Amino acid sequence: MTDTNPDNGASNPVPQGAQPPAGPHFRVLTQYVRDFSFENPKAPESLRFEGKPQIDMGVEMNAQGRADGLFEIDLKLSVKAASGDQPMFQIELLYGGLFQIGGVEEKDIEKMLLIECPRYLFPFARQIIATATSDGGFYPPFLLEPLDFAAIYAARKAQQNGAPAHPAGPGPGLN
């Protein structure tokens, strides 16, 4: 237990008498599954396949400020797997987090929200997808490759500015 009141977290993030952290900082206050869907429409036939499935994956990130000074981040991951023309599984996960950010210049907040915050959420979302595919009967479970959120952010900014988006190497694009 601490001497600080958890209700004061948003308005008074630093205990009385303590110095605020120097430089940029953020805290993950909570994480949650906002929406989740797993479909295995051809089971058990989809569990018996040869070769490597074709994977179609999408990644979306959204950030929203709140009246209490906190930020909500949504990381949406969509995965469709097929073997030939037969669907194997489809997953949609909307995983969120509530963040407190301080000591960051106004011009850098968007990068924190759309690069650093999703980077902290991703391992937990990855585990949910791996567990769902394992529970769905797929062995080995589907493991998402690490995502380069900085490259995704840069591609998104280029697309918004009308420039052609350059691929960020292997991995998903933006939806």
Side-chain angles (χ1 to χ4, degrees):
M1 274 209 136
T2 64
D3 293 332
T4 60
N5 181 348
D7 294 333
N8 290 344
S11 60
N12 187 13
V14 180
Q16 250 181 337
Q19 294 295 319
H25 61 278
F26 70 94
R27 291 178 40 200
V28 182
L29 300 177
T30 191
Q31 298 178 168
Y32 45 88
V33 173
R34 187 182 302 268
D35 192 18
F36 179 68
S37 171
F38 174 80
E39 297 176 22
N40 189 357
K42 300 288 185 181
E45 288 78 23
S46 62
L47 303 175
R48 297 183 221 162
F49 68 95
E50 296 294 322
K52 197 171 189 171
Q54 297 102 15
I55 303 292
D56 181 25
M57 187 173 146
V59 178
E60 293 179 34
M61 298 164 300
N62 292 302
Q64 178 176 310
R66 295 170 27 132
D68 57 6
L70 302 177
F71 296 91
E72 290 182 43
I73 310 302
D74 285 334
L75 175 60
K76 182 177 181 181
L77 301 171
S78 303
V79 182
K80 292 180 184 176
S83 179
D85 62 346
Q86 294 296 313
M88 295 173 62
F89 65 82
Q90 180 173 341
I91 297 173
E92 289 192 14
L93 173 62
L94 184 56
Y95 193 74
L98 186 62
F99 291 82
Q100 181 181 55
I101 298 177
V104 176
E105 290 186 36
E106 188 73 29
K107 66 179 181 67
D108 296 326
I109 288 182
E110 183 179 65
K111 288 181 184 176
M112 286 285 289
L113 295 173
L114 297 176
I115 297 172
E116 296 305 323
C117 294
R119 191 176 297 176
Y120 277 84
L121 296 175
F122 179 76
F124 300 94
R126 180 180 192 247
Q127 182 61 45
I128 291 167
I129 289 173
T131 300
T133 57
S134 177
D135 290 348
F138 293 95
Y139 182 81
F142 178 71
L143 295 174
L144 290 170
E145 293 291 324
L147 297 177
D148 184 348
F149 289 102
I152 293 170
Y153 174 80
R156 182 181 190 183
K157 291 304 278 185
Q159 192 176 40
Q160 287 174 348
N161 293 334
H166 298 339
L174 296 175
N175 282 348

